[in-house]
Amino acid sequence: MLSYFKTIKKNKNDILLSNGKNSQVSYFVKKGCLRLFYIDEEGKDITRYIAFENQFATELVSLITHEPAQETIQVIENSELLYITHDDFRYLMTIIPKWKDFYSIYLEKAYVNNSKRLISFTTLDASERYKQLFKINPNIVKRLPNKIVASYINISQETLSRIKSKI
């Protein structure tokens, strides 16, 4: 299976996929951090997903539909990555049943995580979202700049600074 993956090293702030391009690969983070983000209609940077070590990152909608990506994949920390093409990923599912099981679980977890985040935006205030994030994924708070943390929990940097000063 590993023979289908290629290794690359990328520097902080490198762009792996730009909005409007077709996503043809999935990345696995061996070391470092990636984020998926988009720019909303007001020009605001919205972080949808952050991948640290031992996590996959891809613009899944583009990968599945073959339509241009609506998100950008950016390297947040100098990173060592494995990547696999969509065709090779699909091929592995045909020859390794456990790979198909893995993909199914990956999709389920992605759906659950996205649903929980969306619900938190309407049911929790900014402080509660920050505390929940710190509890669920402290790496985001500890390793990433406030700008990205604020973008991920859908609050302003100023609000995040006020919350952090009170805690």
Side-chain angles (χ1 to χ4, degrees):
M1 178 184 78
L2 283 176
S3 65
Y4 289 90
F5 285 84
K6 307 284 187 276
T7 301
I8 55 170
K9 291 184 179 183
K10 290 293 184 176
N11 296 318
K12 181 178 180 177
N13 294 323
D14 282 353
I15 300 297
L16 299 174
L17 175 71
S18 298
N19 172 313
K21 302 288 184 185
N22 277 4
S23 177
Q24 297 300 312
V25 299
S26 292
Y27 297 95
F28 180 81
V29 182
K30 285 179 69 176
K31 179 183 175 195
C33 179
L34 305 178
R35 82 170 175 136
L36 278 80
F37 72 96
Y38 62 95
I39 307 299
D40 72 9
E41 59 279 349
E42 298 168 4
K44 186 176 163 189
D45 178 305
I46 308 291
T47 299
R48 186 188 60 79
Y49 179 70
I50 296 169
F52 290 105
E53 290 82 4
N54 301 314
Q55 293 180 311
F56 275 91
T58 190
E59 212 284 16
L60 205 50
V61 174
S62 178
L63 197 71
I64 292 169
T65 64
H66 302 286
E67 295 173 358
Q70 295 183 335
E71 296 176 305
T72 297
I73 301 177
Q74 179 186 30
V75 179
I76 300 301
E77 299 173 344
N78 291 340
S79 297
E80 186 175 339
L81 310 167
L82 297 175
Y83 71 93
I84 185 170
T85 67
H86 184 59
D87 289 341
D88 284 345
F89 193 99
R90 290 273 183 205
Y91 178 69
L92 286 178
M93 288 196 297
T94 65
I95 63 170
I96 303 172
K98 290 286 185 196
W99 189 251
K100 194 171 194 172
D101 294 345
F102 159 77
Y103 185 56
S104 177
I105 292 167
Y106 171 78
L107 291 176
E108 288 173 357
K109 285 183 178 181
Y111 178 81
V112 168
N113 288 338
N114 282 335
S115 293
K116 285 182 176 182
R117 280 193 65 233
L118 284 174
I119 291 168
S120 78
F121 292 158
T122 58
T123 61
L124 302 177
D125 67 26
S127 180
E128 291 169 324
R129 287 198 302 273
Y130 177 78
K131 289 174 187 172
Q132 182 182 59
L133 175 64
F134 193 83
K135 181 181 176 185
I136 293 170
N137 197 340
N139 269 336
I140 291 174
V141 175
K142 292 177 181 177
R143 288 172 58 177
L144 302 182
N146 280 350
K147 177 182 178 184
I148 293 173
V149 175
S151 167
Y152 186 70
I153 58 175
N154 197 28
I155 63 175
S156 70
Q157 288 183 64
E158 295 78 18
T159 299
L160 178 61
S161 292
R162 283 193 298 274
I163 292 168
K164 288 175 88 172
S165 71
K166 291 179 183 177
I167 295 178

